[in-house]
């Protein structure tokens, strides 16, 4: 710590410490500053250091320490009020309110002491001439805390009726308190209406909308406004996360996670703040935190995850069950301490109700990374219960019914039969069907089971189904890459099946199954062929096989959905072959027909794949409307029957298509769904990362920057160049940098933009690299890092030069000029950089051959002269403020040079005609003010009148409603008055 030897150094140190993050380090520094103040022998220094110490304690987890510095301040006031200046007098009375709330939150302080202090506050406010508004607000807090609802209502009425003065809380904080009371009274909608001005940014302060966003979460969920609740969580948690003193609001976010099926995110939040389990300086927020920890841990235990490792107090490992028991005991004990102090059961009753809450939403997707803690949802609808109970005969009948109807859960129904039966209870046919469906469930591992099913079908006297089972096994071999062997096998089966069908030994269903398996294998071979004659031959043979299926089943489906499915699949095969042969329009039509047939047959889930193929073909052809229509149909037809990964893919494609036509709101909803289903499918790091990146971009385009930042940061945890491509990583970093810049976090924005620029540095095309370097320079400048910003602008300028982009080269030079003026380089270096910007722009303008490019460069040159003039005027003002002797001539010269540049800017803007009107009038006014400063009042008057004439002409052209025109008129009139015109 630098030695503090005077009052000014102390004040600078206090200001610096005020900007540090909340926490013990800032508190310790405040204690050091008080010790330093006591050595200065200046009463006001001690008063200011005590006030600073009190404030940092209040905004930390050590709130219980603030009573000592306040008591000392109050004693100093009572002894020597003349030592307090106006600001410290105001501050002393202001923090009376903190004392009232602070005492309530410490259960060891008797209620009588709190009431006595309330009376003391009322007395001192009356003596100081303050309104009773703040006093009645404090009384309301006391009454609401102990559950004296009648007194709270009276105090609330008196609070709102009293005049607002300098002691009243800010509008945002008052509205938070009023809304919280409405929630306490069961009036959620009224609370949200009260909070609306804070949520919409009309009112804010250092801790708002942070607490309002947190407090609104559960009321929104109760009202069914889940999309708003999700947005408030994402937006609000970013605000609360870095602020140690906001444990109560942090608890609201953990509670939200526990009530929306986001238990895994709740655990992540607990892991981020381990000190919240043990910090004891603010018992009330610790009580709220331990209550929601209990809620979350009990929720996990209820999901069967009681033995899962979870974050908890340091020093040992915790399971969810153990943490729940520990947190419940802590919360119960703290609530009892408050209730003993208050003489009621009000706090305990509310805490017990909070810990006993049930989820309000089964699962609310948030868009950020999520790991499901509960069981995954059933993809297909569950099979209906069999009347009379699940006896074996009933299970068999139900399984056959589902199989015949091609229901998605038929395989599960046969698995239930297998679990319920003993072999000696089943006929060969039953065992054959069990083996057949188990083979289907095993996929590539099911070949041997298909052979077993075949043998059992044969034993049951069904040779056609025996051939069909073997044919299905052959197709599985083809899927494993054994195409030639599979084709050899299925060819023999195909001939046998046709012979059996011809003599009536088997039916069309069994025969169609064999013929379809052969067609599938032949289609598989087509995909394995390289271009050339062999590919054409394979395609022709597969085409004949698909047509053979159609010839067998077309017109014979009747009410048999299996036959309808065979016909639709055969048509889809022909579609695939048409696409493979380059006939996309025919392929799309055949896929659409196949989809219609499935829907008409009552098996719409089979249409999903065909609609997805239509969408892909439409997208490839540039028919985005057709792609969108097909994707919507796929989602509608599939419903809950589509596997999670399929849902994720469909929603992701829809998000891209819909976002492409500018409907970012709906596109964001589909991207959110895609992220959710990707997480459900265990594809959060692949598909989920894509979806989150897309979602973040859509949220940014809606100016929902806080939500977008949270989502993009989550996406970047999984996005990688190897899996997603470095372009996706750069885009996510770019968008995140834009978000952080909009949120005012310029240092973090610069870091993301520099990371993106470093990746783009290796790309053959350097446009993105240059843009990112330029944006990073802007962020560095806004973050108060001028030297780093200058280096980044210099790098961007080199890239713009190499890309032959003089406009942005000039902008980088101008930016460096302003940095130099404000930094160590000084005015001389600033003028050099601005002069270089002018030269570069003039050189490019002379070389321009196209009219459009010439106009762009003319506008850029005009802006450069305008900024050069502004910079010179600013430099002259700085010299004048410094008051250095002998500088009058230099100041005069700077103003003269500035006027020359302004005049040049006005001429260039005038050359642009209507497009340069606003730029010209702005430059003319700036020149007029400079002329006035130089004592050339006639010139200033002439320029002002010229601007008024130009604005009058603009009004005649219908631009009178233009805000810029109105502003120019007002400024010109003011210049006239100043210059004596």
């Amino acid at each position: 710590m630098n030695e503090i030897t005077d009052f000014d150094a102390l004040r600078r140190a206090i200001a610096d410490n005020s900007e540090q993050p909340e926490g013990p380090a800032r508190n310790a520094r405040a204690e050091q500053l008080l010790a330093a103040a006591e050595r200065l022998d200046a009463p006001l220094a001690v008063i200011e250091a005590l006030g600073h110490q009190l404030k940092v304690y209040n905004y930390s987890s050590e709130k219980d320490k603030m009573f000592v510095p306040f008591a000392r301040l109050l004693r100093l006031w009572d002894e020597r009020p003349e030592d307090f200046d106006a600001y410290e007098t105001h501050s002393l009375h202001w923090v009376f309110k903190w004392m009232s709330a602070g005492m309530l939150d410490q259960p060891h302080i008797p209620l009588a002491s709190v009431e006595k202090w309330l009376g003391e506050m009322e007395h001192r406010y009356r003596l100081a001439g303050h309104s009773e508004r703040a006093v009645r607000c404090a009384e309301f807090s006391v009454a609401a805390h102990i559950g004296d609802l009648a007194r709270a209502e009276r105090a609330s009425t008196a609070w709102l009726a009293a005049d607002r003065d300098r002691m009243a809380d800010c509008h945002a904080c008052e509205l938070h308190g009023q809304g919280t009371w409405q929630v306490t009274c069961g009036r959620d909608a009224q609370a949200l209406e009260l909070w609306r001005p804070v949520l919409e940014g009309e009112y804010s302060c250092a801790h708002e909308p942070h607490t309002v966003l947190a407090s609104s979460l559960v009321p929104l969920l109760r009202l069914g406004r889940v999309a708003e609740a999700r947005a408030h969580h994402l937006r609000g948690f970013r605000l609360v996360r870095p602020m140690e003193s906001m444990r109560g609001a942090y608890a609201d976010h953990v509670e939200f996670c526990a009530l929306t099926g986001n238990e895994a995110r709740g655990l992540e939040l607990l892991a981020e703040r381990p000190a919240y389990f043990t910090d004891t300086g603010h018992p009330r927020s610790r009580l709220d935190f331990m209550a929601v920890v209990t809620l979350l841990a009990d929720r996990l235990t209820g999901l069967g995850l009681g033995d899962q490792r979870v974050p908890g107090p340091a020093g040992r490992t915790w399971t969810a069950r153990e943490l729940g028991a520990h947190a419940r005991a802590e919360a119960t004990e703290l609530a009892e301490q408050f209730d003993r102090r208050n003489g009621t059961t009000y706090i305990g009753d509310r805490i017990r109700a909070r810990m006993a809450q049930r989820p309000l939403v089964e699962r609310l997707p948030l868009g950020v990374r999520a790991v499901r803690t509960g069981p995954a949802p059933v993809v297909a609808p569950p099979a209906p219960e069999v009347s009379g109970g699940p006896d074996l005969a009933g299970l068999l009948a139900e399984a056959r019914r589902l199989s015949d109807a091609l229901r998605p859960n038929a395989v599960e129904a046969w698995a239930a039969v297998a679990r319920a039966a003993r072999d000696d209870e089943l006929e060969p046919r039953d065992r054959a069907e069990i083996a057949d469906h188990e083979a289907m469930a095993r996929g590539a591992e099911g070949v041997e089971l298909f052979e077993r099913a075949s043998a059992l079908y044969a034993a049951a006297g069904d040779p056609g189904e025996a051939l069909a089972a073997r044919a299905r096994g052959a197709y599985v071999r083809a899927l494993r890459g054994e195409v030639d062997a599979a084709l050899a096998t299925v060819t023999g089966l195909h001939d046998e099946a046709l012979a059996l069908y011809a003599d009536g030994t088997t039916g069309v269903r069994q025969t169609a199954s064999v013929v379809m398996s052969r067609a599938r294998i032949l289609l598989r071979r087509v995909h394995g062929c390289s271009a050339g004659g062999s590919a054409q031959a394979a395609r022709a043979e597969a085409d004949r096989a698909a047509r053979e299926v159609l010839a067998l089943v077309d017109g014979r489906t009747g009410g048999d959905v299996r036959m309808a499915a065979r016909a639709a699949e055969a048509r889809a095969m022909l579609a695939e072959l048409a696409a493979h042969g380059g006939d996309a329009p025919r392929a799309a039509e055949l896929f659409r027909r196949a989809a219609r047939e499935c829907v008409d047959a009552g098996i719409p889930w089979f249409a999903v794949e065909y609609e997805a193929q239509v969408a892909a073909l439409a997208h490839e052809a540039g028919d985005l409307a057709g792609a969108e229509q097909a994707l919507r149909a796929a989602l509608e037809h599939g419903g809950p029957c589509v596997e999670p990964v399929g849902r994720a893919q469909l929603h992701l494609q829809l998000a891209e298509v819909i976002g492409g036509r500018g409907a970012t709101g709906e596109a964001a909803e589909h991207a959110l769904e895609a992220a959710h289903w990707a997480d459900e499918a265990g594809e959060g790091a692949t598909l989920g990362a894509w979806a989150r990146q897309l979602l973040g971009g859509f949220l940014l385009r809606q100016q929902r920057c806080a939500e977008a930042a949270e989502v993009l940061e989550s996406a970047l945890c999984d996005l990688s160049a190897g899996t997603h491509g470095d372009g996706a990583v750069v885009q996510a970093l770019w968008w995140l940098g834009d978000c952080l810049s909009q949120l005012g976090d310029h240092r973090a924005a610069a870091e993301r933009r520099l990371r993106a620029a470093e990746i783009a540095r290796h790309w053959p095309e350097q446009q993105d690299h240059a843009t990112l370097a330029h944006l990073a320079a802007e962020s560095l400048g806004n973050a108060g890092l001028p030297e780093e910003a200058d280096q980044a602008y210099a790098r961007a300028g080199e890239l713009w030069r190499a890309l032959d982009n003089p406009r942005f080269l000039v902008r980088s030079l101008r930016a460096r000029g302003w940095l130099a003026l404000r930094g160590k380089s000084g005015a001389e270096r600033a003028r050099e950089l601005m002069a270089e910007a002018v030269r570069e722009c003039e050189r490019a303008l002379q070389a321009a051959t196209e009219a459009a490019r010439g106009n762009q460069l003319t506008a850029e040159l005009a802006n450069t002269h305008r900024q050069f003039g502004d910079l010179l005027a600013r430099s002259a003002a700085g010299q004048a403020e410094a008051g250095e002797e002998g500088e009058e001539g230099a100041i005069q010269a700077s103003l003269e040079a500035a006027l020359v540049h302004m005049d040049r800017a006005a001429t260039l803007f005038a050359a642009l005609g209507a497009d340069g009107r606003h730029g010209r009038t702005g430059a003319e006014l700036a020149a007029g003010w400079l002329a006035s400063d130089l004592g050339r009042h006639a010139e200033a008057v002439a320029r002002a009148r010229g601007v008024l004439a130009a604005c009058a002409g603009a009004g005649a052209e219908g631009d009178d409603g233009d805000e810029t025109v109105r502003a120019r008129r007002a400024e010109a009139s003011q210049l006239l008055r100043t210059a004596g015109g």
Side-chain angles (χ1 to χ4, degrees):
M1 178 177 74
N2 295 330
E3 187 66 25
I4 294 173
T5 57
D6 58 57
F7 201 171
D8 287 340
L10 176 70
R11 283 177 163 167
R12 287 194 299 272
I14 287 175
D16 288 342
N17 197 43
S18 296
E19 296 300 315
Q20 298 306 306
E22 295 176 354
R26 187 170 74 156
N27 295 355
R29 176 63 170 153
E31 292 162 6
Q32 294 171 349
L33 293 175
L34 176 59
E38 289 169 336
R39 293 193 292 270
L40 294 179
D41 193 27
L44 185 57
V46 174
I47 290 167
E48 290 189 11
L50 282 168
H52 173 63
Q53 186 182 73
L54 192 156
K55 290 171 186 175
V56 299
Y57 283 153
N58 185 61
Y59 294 117
S60 77
S61 61
E62 298 180 303
K63 290 178 184 284
D64 55 335
K65 290 185 177 182
M66 68 181 178
F67 301 108
V68 172
F70 181 75
R72 187 175 171 189
L73 272 172
L74 195 58
R75 186 176 69 252
L76 291 173
W77 169 263
D78 288 339
E79 292 172 354
R80 291 181 58 84
E82 64 273 16
D83 289 341
F84 288 69
D85 63 14
Y87 178 81
E88 292 303 328
T89 299
H90 170 82
S91 296
L92 176 69
H93 287 81
W94 181 268
V95 296
F96 262 92
K97 300 180 295 183
W98 295 358
M99 295 304 107
S100 298
M103 289 180 177
L104 274 180
D105 294 336
Q106 304 288 336
H108 69 278
I109 298 179
L111 191 60
S113 298
V114 177
E115 294 283 7
K116 180 181 177 182
W117 186 257
L118 187 61
E120 178 76 7
M121 177 182 175
E122 183 171 9
H123 172 68
R124 288 180 180 267
Y125 270 43
R126 188 180 300 114
L127 287 177
H130 297 309
S131 164
E132 67 170 9
R133 188 178 182 94
V135 177
R136 298 284 76 84
C137 178
E139 181 189 4
F140 163 80
S141 299
V142 173
H145 173 80
I146 64 177
D148 187 344
L149 303 187
R151 182 187 178 193
E153 195 67 63
R154 291 193 302 273
S156 175
T157 301
W159 163 24
L160 299 180
D163 293 334
R164 283 188 59 83
D165 67 352
R166 295 173 64 232
M167 284 300 119
D169 283 343
C170 74
H171 284 290
C173 289
E174 282 205 338
L175 288 172
H176 178 244
Q178 294 164 28
T180 301
W181 175 241
Q182 296 299 318
V183 172
T184 300
C185 296
R187 299 188 285 263
D188 290 339
Q190 290 90 326
L192 289 162
E193 182 58 29
L194 276 168
W195 288 333
R196 183 179 52 77
V198 183
L199 295 170
E200 293 179 356
E202 183 178 346
Y203 300 124
S204 64
C205 68
H207 287 76
E208 294 296 354
H210 313 44
T211 55
V212 164
L213 285 164
S215 297
S216 72
L217 295 172
V218 173
L220 284 169
L221 291 175
R222 284 197 292 253
L223 292 170
R225 294 160 61 176
V226 295
E228 291 175 73
R230 170 176 51 239
H232 287 196
H233 170 64
L234 294 176
R235 177 183 163 202
F237 186 67
R238 289 189 67 80
L239 297 173
V240 169
R241 178 189 275 137
M243 304 184 75
E244 184 198 53
S245 64
M246 302 198 73
R247 179 164 54 182
Y250 201 98
D252 292 338
H253 286 278
V254 176
E255 178 182 42
F256 167 83
C257 294
L259 297 177
T260 58
N262 287 287
E263 298 85 7
R265 180 166 172 81
L267 293 176
E268 291 175 3
L269 269 55
L270 296 188
E272 285 192 32
R273 281 290 187 180
Y276 276 173
F277 288 100
T278 52
D279 285 343
T280 59
H282 191 238
R284 182 54 204 261
S285 69
R286 184 161 183 257
L287 169 59
D288 289 330
F289 184 74
M290 298 310 284
V292 299
V293 170
T294 305
L295 174 67
L296 177 62
D298 286 355
R299 172 67 179 154
L300 290 166
T301 302
L303 291 169
L305 300 169
D307 295 326
Q308 176 177 314
R309 286 273 299 275
V310 296
R316 55 161 288 187
T317 58
W318 296 87
T319 65
R321 184 177 292 105
E322 292 167 341
L323 181 64
H326 168 78
R328 182 178 296 278
E330 292 280 321
T332 300
E333 172 56 28
L334 280 167
E336 288 175 353
Q337 290 179 28
F338 279 105
D339 283 344
R340 281 195 298 270
R341 190 271 303 271
N342 298 339
T344 70
T345 62
Y346 184 71
I347 297 292
D349 292 342
R350 292 181 65 81
I351 288 300
R352 283 186 288 274
R354 191 173 194 180
M355 294 189 293
Q357 291 178 99
R358 303 300 304 160
L360 295 170
V361 182
E362 180 185 350
R363 183 77 188 279
L364 177 61
L366 302 178
V368 294
R369 281 199 306 170
V371 178
R372 169 164 279 278
T373 48
V378 177
V379 172
E385 290 188 9
V386 181
S387 58
D391 58 278
L392 183 56
L395 289 171
L396 273 167
E398 180 63 9
R400 287 199 172 103
R401 185 188 71 78
L402 294 172
S403 297
D404 288 341
L406 293 180
R407 297 291 162 179
N409 46 351
V411 170
E412 288 82 357
W414 280 106
V417 173
R419 290 192 297 270
R422 301 191 308 269
D423 272 356
D424 58 5
E425 294 181 281
L426 297 171
E427 297 295 328
R429 175 76 189 198
D430 304 331
R431 296 201 302 276
E433 290 181 85
I434 291 173
D436 206 358
H437 285 86
E438 185 180 350
M440 295 176 196
R442 290 195 184 185
E445 306 302 319
V447 173
E448 290 74 15
L449 274 170
F450 277 125
E451 291 295 333
R452 181 184 172 197
S454 176
L456 288 166
Y457 279 127
D462 191 341
E465 202 61 64
L467 293 175
R470 289 184 63 200
R472 286 190 282 274
Y475 177 56
V476 170
R477 291 182 66 187
L479 292 176
R480 296 196 313 200
E482 305 169 31
V483 177
D484 292 338
L487 186 56
T489 299
V490 83
T491 299
L493 298 172
H494 169 265
D495 294 342
E496 287 185 58
L498 290 179
L500 289 175
Y501 180 61
D503 65 17
T505 307
T506 193
V508 67
R509 178 189 286 188
Q510 292 85 349
T511 307
S513 181
V514 176
V515 175
M516 176 57 77
S517 292
R518 177 173 176 269
R520 289 171 177 167
I521 293 169
L522 287 167
L523 183 61
R524 193 79 184 169
R525 187 177 66 168
V526 169
H527 291 300
C529 289
S530 56
S534 62
Q536 291 179 356
R539 196 160 59 243
E541 189 173 3
D543 184 278
R544 288 192 294 272
R547 293 181 187 280
E548 183 182 19
V549 176
L550 281 173
L552 187 63
V553 302
D554 241 2
R556 302 179 187 178
T557 58
D560 190 337
V561 296
R562 286 176 180 266
M563 294 299 96
R566 296 279 186 244
E569 185 179 356
R571 221 164 312 269
M573 286 179 171
L574 293 174
E576 199 169 338
L577 290 166
H580 197 271
D583 191 351
R586 174 167 169 73
E589 176 53 38
L590 287 167
F591 276 128
R592 278 193 288 267
R593 184 174 173 186
R596 285 196 302 271
E597 290 174 350
C598 291
V599 174
D600 292 344
I603 47 174
W605 46 88
F606 277 78
V608 173
E609 181 182 349
Y610 307 148
E611 293 286 9
Q613 293 284 0
V614 172
L617 289 166
H619 203 285
E620 189 176 331
D623 179 10
L624 297 185
E628 180 180 339
Q629 181 181 10
L631 289 166
R632 289 186 187 279
L635 279 170
E636 179 185 350
H637 296 328
C641 301
V642 182
E643 293 284 344
V645 68
R647 283 199 192 189
Q649 291 168 336
L650 290 171
H651 281 293
L652 186 58
Q653 292 174 59
L654 252 180
E656 292 172 339
V657 172
I658 294 171
R661 62 173 169 81
T664 54
E666 187 183 359
E669 292 174 9
H670 284 287
L672 177 66
E673 287 293 317
H676 166 68
W677 289 110
D679 290 338
E680 293 291 336
E683 295 288 342
T686 51
L687 273 177
W690 276 117
R692 277 182 265 281
Q693 188 234 30
L694 205 59
L695 174 59
F698 291 139
L699 291 170
L700 173 60
R701 284 162 66 181
Q702 296 174 66
Q703 293 299 303
R704 295 161 63 180
C705 296
E707 297 167 66
E710 196 75 7
V711 169
L712 289 166
E713 286 171 351
S714 180
L716 282 163
C717 293
D718 293 312
L719 283 172
S720 68
T723 302
H724 305 92
D726 54 10
V729 178
V730 167
Q731 184 63 82
L733 287 166
W734 194 327
W735 281 336
L736 180 55
D738 290 348
C739 292
L740 295 169
S741 179
Q742 290 290 323
L743 294 170
D745 193 350
H746 299 296
R747 188 181 290 262
E751 191 271 331
R752 302 318 192 279
R753 287 168 166 174
L754 287 170
R755 278 176 56 194
E758 179 58 26
I759 298 171
R761 183 171 69 87
H762 304 286
W763 293 354
E765 217 312 303
Q766 289 290 283
Q767 177 73 28
D768 287 339
H769 180 201
T771 304
L772 286 162
H774 199 112
L775 289 171
E778 285 182 8
S779 294
L780 289 165
N782 290 331
L785 300 168
E787 293 180 10
E788 293 86 343
D790 182 72
Q791 293 173 6
Y793 274 125
R795 176 60 181 147
E798 293 171 3
L799 292 165
W800 293 130
R801 192 187 301 278
L803 288 165
D804 190 27
N805 190 327
R807 293 174 64 206
F808 280 89
L809 168 60
V810 167
R811 291 177 188 184
S812 67
L813 288 166
R814 292 199 310 245
R816 293 179 65 197
W818 286 109
L819 286 169
L821 183 65
R822 293 192 293 265
K824 298 177 181 178
S825 302
E828 186 59 36
R829 177 58 177 158
R831 286 192 286 270
E832 290 173 2
L833 287 163
M834 280 292 184
E836 184 181 352
V838 169
R839 288 194 299 273
E840 290 289 349
C841 206
E842 288 175 339
R843 187 179 301 121
L845 182 58
Q846 290 171 1
T849 57
E850 298 176 3
R853 181 175 173 85
N855 286 340
Q856 288 178 341
L857 289 167
T858 297
E860 205 65 56
L861 181 57
N863 277 312
T864 304
H865 278 293
R866 170 68 198 265
Q867 289 197 35
F868 202 165
D870 285 337
L871 183 142
L872 290 168
R874 191 80 55 83
S875 173
Q879 290 173 297
E881 287 174 9
E884 298 175 11
E885 293 186 12
E887 290 293 328
E888 294 83 356
I891 293 171
Q892 178 84 4
S894 292
L895 292 175
E896 293 279 5
L899 182 56
V900 170
H901 283 290
M902 289 300 181
D903 198 49
R904 178 64 177 145
T907 302
L908 288 164
F909 278 126
L912 296 171
D915 291 340
R917 180 189 305 146
H918 291 333
R920 178 174 67 85
T921 54
E924 288 282 7
L925 285 169
W929 288 112
L930 286 167
S932 178
D933 290 342
L934 288 165
R936 302 174 187 174
H937 299 299
E939 180 182 345
V941 167
R943 289 184 184 273
R945 287 176 175 164
V947 170
L948 285 172
C951 289
E957 295 172 24
D959 291 340
D960 197 41
D962 189 317
E963 184 65 33
T964 303
V965 170
R966 290 196 295 270
R968 294 284 192 265
R969 284 176 175 167
E971 187 179 352
S973 299
Q974 182 184 357
L975 178 57
L976 276 176
R977 291 191 296 272
T978 302

